[in-house]
Amino acid sequence: PFPIIAGFLGMVGASIVRGGLVVALGQNLASIADLGSAAISVPYEFGAALGLVFVLLVLRRVRVPTNVLFMSTMAAALLLFYAPTTFLRIARSELRVRGFLFPISEPVGPLDIWWRLDMSRVTWSALVPASGEVFGTLTILTISLVLRVSAIDSAAQANLDPDREIRLTGLVNLAIGATGGVIGSHSPGLVALNREIGSDSPATGVMQAGLLGLLWVSAYPLTNVLPRFLLGGVLMSIGVV
């Protein structure tokens, strides 16, 4: 039913906004009080993230083409962030201490996670959870996946087969897990964004997969250079719209 799909999408949007705040502030947010404390402790990061969200929403309101909105805004945000800090000779280490940048990450190759795995530290008993936990988790994940597929089908009129989508998602994630990757599934938000920019072909998905593949092979951690407020602000704007 439409109310269920709409409610689910609203919950997804709220979760994305919360995730964007966590990324931007670098703190756990379990309540409104936590948000207030975080805003007080890192006011500049909080203000920068909200400012970026405001700019993106205003630009969407004045009907700036979506296909240039995010890229141009992100490029401008990077320029406005790095130009003054470079001119003032503020070291990146200081920016990390202040919370503007993520903690530095070492490059980790696609299969390095397996070579670095210390088998003696694995809690093998955790691999065999209680049957109730497995049943509950599988039920929630399956319902969530079906709702996402239904939302995409409703928005894009794609006539998707839920059974086929669930089977393919499971098989793909098995392969991803075996190679040390991060699991993934259908994203109604990204599909809606793709349609907004006028794309009705699989080219966008293929290009995204190619870029992610290059990042995976190169093992370059982009979070070493991208500011927290930039990623958090973009996530929040996607959740709002």
Side-chain angles (χ1 to χ4, degrees):
F2 179 76
I4 294 179
I5 296 177
F8 175 77
L9 290 178
M11 181 195 70
V12 170
S15 299
I16 294 175
V17 171
R18 179 184 177 277
L21 284 169
V22 171
V23 169
L25 302 178
Q27 301 183 29
N28 242 346
L29 302 176
S31 65
I32 297 297
D34 290 342
L35 177 60
S37 300
I40 294 173
S41 61
V42 284
Y44 299 113
E45 295 86 337
F46 185 64
L50 290 185
L52 180 60
V53 174
F54 177 77
V55 169
L56 287 170
L57 293 178
V58 169
L59 292 178
R60 289 176 66 92
R61 188 71 176 177
V62 298
R63 301 191 182 280
V64 173
T66 310
N67 55 346
V68 299
L69 174 62
F70 283 100
M71 293 304 299
S72 59
T73 306
M74 290 177 68
L78 285 172
L79 178 62
L80 292 173
F81 177 73
Y82 276 111
T85 55
T86 302
F87 178 76
L88 296 174
R89 298 183 179 181
I90 301 176
R92 290 187 182 179
S93 57
E94 185 177 347
L95 294 174
R96 289 191 175 89
V97 171
R98 294 184 179 183
F100 282 102
L101 295 177
F102 292 92
I104 193 166
S105 301
E106 295 181 7
V108 178
L111 299 179
D112 282 358
I113 186 174
W114 297 110
W115 310 139
R116 301 183 183 188
L117 180 63
D118 184 359
M119 302 298 289
S120 64
R121 300 179 62 184
V122 176
T123 306
W124 296 103
S125 59
L127 299 178
V128 189
S131 58
E133 294 178 359
V134 174
F135 177 77
T137 301
L138 290 178
T139 301
I140 293 173
L141 290 177
T142 302
I143 293 174
S144 173
L145 180 57
V146 170
L147 286 173
R148 273 177 280 164
V149 172
S150 301
I152 292 173
D153 188 35
S154 176
Q157 299 296 319
N159 296 320
L160 299 176
D161 181 359
D163 293 334
R164 177 177 179 274
E165 298 300 321
I166 291 174
R167 285 196 300 270
L168 288 177
T169 302
L171 292 173
V172 169
N173 281 297
L174 282 174
I176 291 174
T179 54
V182 179
I183 62 173
S185 63
H186 302 68
S187 174
L190 292 179
V191 171
L193 178 62
N194 190 48
R195 286 180 62 82
E196 280 188 23
I197 65 175
S199 175
D200 57 359
S201 73
T204 305
V206 172
M207 291 180 64
Q208 182 191 28
L211 290 173
L212 290 175
L214 288 175
L215 285 174
W216 182 66
V217 172
S218 67
Y220 182 76
L222 282 178
T223 52
N224 285 353
V225 296
L226 294 178
R228 282 183 177 274
F229 75 85
L230 178 59
L231 296 181
V234 170
L235 277 175
M236 284 190 284
S237 67
I238 292 175
V240 169
V241 300

